[in-house]
Amino acid sequence: MATVGFIYPDHAAEDDYPFAERLLGYRISLPVEHIYGTDLHAVPELLDLGSEKRLAEGAALLARHEPDAVVWACTSGSFVYRWQGAHEQVEKLSAAAGKPASSTSFAFVRAAQALGLKRVSVAASYPDDVAKLFVDFLGAGGIEVVAMSSEDIDTAAEVGRLSPEAVVELAVAHDHPAADAVLVPDTAMRTLGVLGAIEDRLGKPVLTANQVTIWEGLRLTGQVPRCDQLGRLFAEGR
């Protein structure tokens, strides 16, 4: 059984990970360990949160689970380093863990590529300046953003308190006719339980942070189980 370890910042929507284990029939293990800092969606704080020292602490906590791969489960704490810096962040995490590593930001790019998506809409919970950095990151990965919205929510804790109905409406409200998919980029947002509802409303794929993070970790192990309950990515993306 593959084991993917996740470094998760503070507490918000980490229960998406055991929920995914259940949906995947307990065929994989998805242990989560936490690192702590401010949960403010602001560039200086995010740079600190994703620092080499903090991620090394997370890797050390995950070691007891003997993971086959590790993922930094934080979108803003990875794309804030921009394309090259995020690569260096992942390389240092891999060295600290002694395992293949990735981050949620790269997970979005690779998931979009797996589904053949070229143009997307971004439904972001972040303040506008932070959301624009995600748009830049996607562009560096060859993905065109045709529309971007920012809900201007300052902290991850606030995002974690959004109701399932609010999450669905956030994603659906920020679709765009020219978009191949809608991306919802915050691991603090519980989305796995509403993926089907969003895709049914949109009639197109939706990629959410915890969804792509789990998929990316499994991709690193070479074992991505098919699952119709985790969106088109797990049903179709290979």
Side-chain angles (χ1 to χ4, degrees), residues 134-195:
F134 183 54
V135 171
D136 291 345
F137 190 92
L138 293 173
I143 300 167
E144 179 186 357
V145 177
V146 296
M148 186 275 285
S149 65
S150 53
E151 293 296 302
D152 203 29
I153 301 176
D154 287 327
T155 68
E158 292 173 88
V159 175
R161 290 193 290 268
L162 292 173
S163 69
E165 295 77 15
V167 172
V168 172
E169 292 306 319
L170 182 149
V172 171
H174 299 299
D175 185 20
H176 188 280
D180 301 325
V182 174
L183 275 53
V184 186
D186 197 336
T187 58
M189 191 182 299
R190 289 179 182 84
T191 59
L192 298 194
V194 295
L195 282 168

Side-chain angles (χ1 to χ4, degrees), residues 172 175 179-182 195-206 232 236:
V172 171
D175 185 20
D180 301 325
V182 174
L195 282 168
I198 299 171
E199 289 191 337
D200 286 347
R201 292 270 301 274
L202 291 175
K204 62 179 68 173
V206 59
R232 293 195 196 177
E236 302 172 8

Side-chain angles (χ1 to χ4, degrees), residues 31-79:
V32 176
E33 294 289 353
H34 298 267
I35 59 172
Y36 298 94
T38 177
D39 71 344
L40 190 65
H41 289 145
V43 172
E45 286 78 6
L46 292 168
L47 288 169
D48 175 69
L49 188 63
S51 67
E52 180 179 2
K53 179 181 177 181
R54 289 191 186 275
L55 294 190
E57 292 170 358
L61 291 170
L62 282 172
R64 67 188 179 92
H65 301 286
E66 300 183 349
D68 299 298
V70 298
V71 185
W72 170 218
C74 183
T75 325
S76 55
S78 46
F79 69 66

Side-chain angles (χ1 to χ4, degrees), residues 17-31:
Y17 293 81
F19 180 62
E21 285 184 329
R22 181 167 68 82
L23 292 181
L24 292 167
Y26 299 105
R27 289 171 286 171
I28 46 97
S29 178
L30 306 175

